[in-house]
Amino acid sequence: MTSAKLTLSAAVALVLGAGAASAQNDCAAGKTLKEGVLTVATGNPAYFPWVIDNDPTSGKGFEAAVAYAIAERMGFAADKVEWTSTTFDQAIQPGPKEFDFNLQQYSITPEREQTVDFSDPYYAAAQAVLVRKPTVDAGATPELAALKALKWGLAAGTTAPALIGGLVGPEAEPMLYEDTADVSEALKAGQIDATLMDLPSALYTAAAVLDDGVVLGQFPAGADASDKFGLVFADGNPLRDCANAALAEMTADGTLAKIEAEWLADATGAPVIK
């Protein structure tokens, strides 16, 4: 009796699963550049941790993994996903596109929405703590008690000065600088121990600006995050609704959070600060 019930349950699940896949296929049918193929664009080169080794076909890296997960829910197997590349600015110019959607850390802004359509956000940028290796060697850890004792420097033109009190509550008043370039110089000179940046900026600064930069940790991104990334579509592309349906599923079942944890926390060594 138990075996029969399990067999029946499996059959029902198979039928329901097939129905869901069919619905997603119906959504995307006839809406892609190439029949039966999803064309996805990113930058060239595409950088860690968004794409690993500049090879999005591997599915490794946050945005590569997101793209394949969306494709799957839209009814496209991995071998039906084709990649192309554009410059950052090229993709958000008005006019027809040579891709179905493009993802290379495009922040959703009202200005850009005048020329392209965005999906719902697939990433809300977390605030991250950027330090140098000597600060880590001196005992700094991704824990609030340790963060409070650091000497902080912040770029006055960013959201960091307004956020630092609620996120960290430093013991000493943070020093304010004109921009992030000045903050980086202050870190290099040892005038400050740490700064607060959105995670993408912190990763870039640690890798490209500082010789010994370390993203010590990141705070959970809230719904009010100031920087949110969306897929870019040609203006009026009906495929956007299919992608939004896929993103809603990925949010509800935890897939999006799992991808984010793998590639933006574990792979970058930037643990979530609790």
Side-chain angles (χ1 to χ4, degrees), residues 121-139:
Y122 62 87
Y123 175 63
Q127 293 295 315
V129 177
L130 176 66
V131 301
R132 291 176 52 233
K133 191 173 183 298
T135 301
V136 178
D137 292 342

Side-chain angles (χ1 to χ4, degrees), residues 42 46 53 61 74 77 109 115 135 142 153 156 170 178 197 214 220-221 234 238-240 246 251 258 270 272:
T42 190
D53 297 328
M74 290 170 61
T109 67
T115 57
T135 301
E178 185 172 349
M197 294 182 177
V214 177
L239 195 64
R240 178 181 67 167
T251 300
K258 182 178 179 181
V272 174

Side-chain angles (χ1 to χ4, degrees), residues 41-159:
T42 190
N44 185 19
Y47 294 103
F48 171 90
W50 315 105
V51 175
I52 304 303
D53 297 328
N54 196 28
D55 179 16
T57 64
S58 69
K60 296 180 179 179
F62 177 69
E63 290 188 331
V66 165
Y68 277 111
I70 291 172
E72 180 183 3
R73 283 162 175 76
M74 290 170 61
F76 297 95
D79 62 357
K80 297 299 181 183
V81 177
E82 292 185 359
W83 289 88
T84 187
S85 62
T86 70
T87 66
F88 189 91
D89 291 336
Q90 177 186 358
I92 51 178
Q93 296 305 309
K97 310 298 180 190
E98 296 183 357
F99 54 79
D100 291 312
F101 67 74
N102 193 316
L103 71 172
Q104 46 180 312
Q105 307 104 68
Y106 285 105
S107 300
I108 302 171
T109 67
E111 294 77 18
R112 292 172 180 169
E113 287 180 318
Q114 294 178 12
T115 57
V116 296
D117 281 346
F118 283 100
S119 71
D120 293 336
Y122 62 87
Y123 175 63
Q127 293 295 315
V129 177
L130 176 66
V131 301
R132 291 176 52 233
K133 191 173 183 298
T135 301
V136 178
D137 292 342
T141 61
E143 300 174 357
L144 278 178
L147 299 182
K148 288 178 182 294
L150 298 179
K151 292 187 296 183
W152 288 80
L154 308 170
T158 68
T159 59

Side-chain angles (χ1 to χ4, degrees), residues 222-245:
D224 58 347
S226 58
D227 199 15
K228 297 179 181 180
F229 296 169
L231 310 177
V232 169
F233 294 84
D235 188 36
N237 189 338
L239 195 64
R240 178 181 67 167
D241 293 339
C242 305
N244 281 343

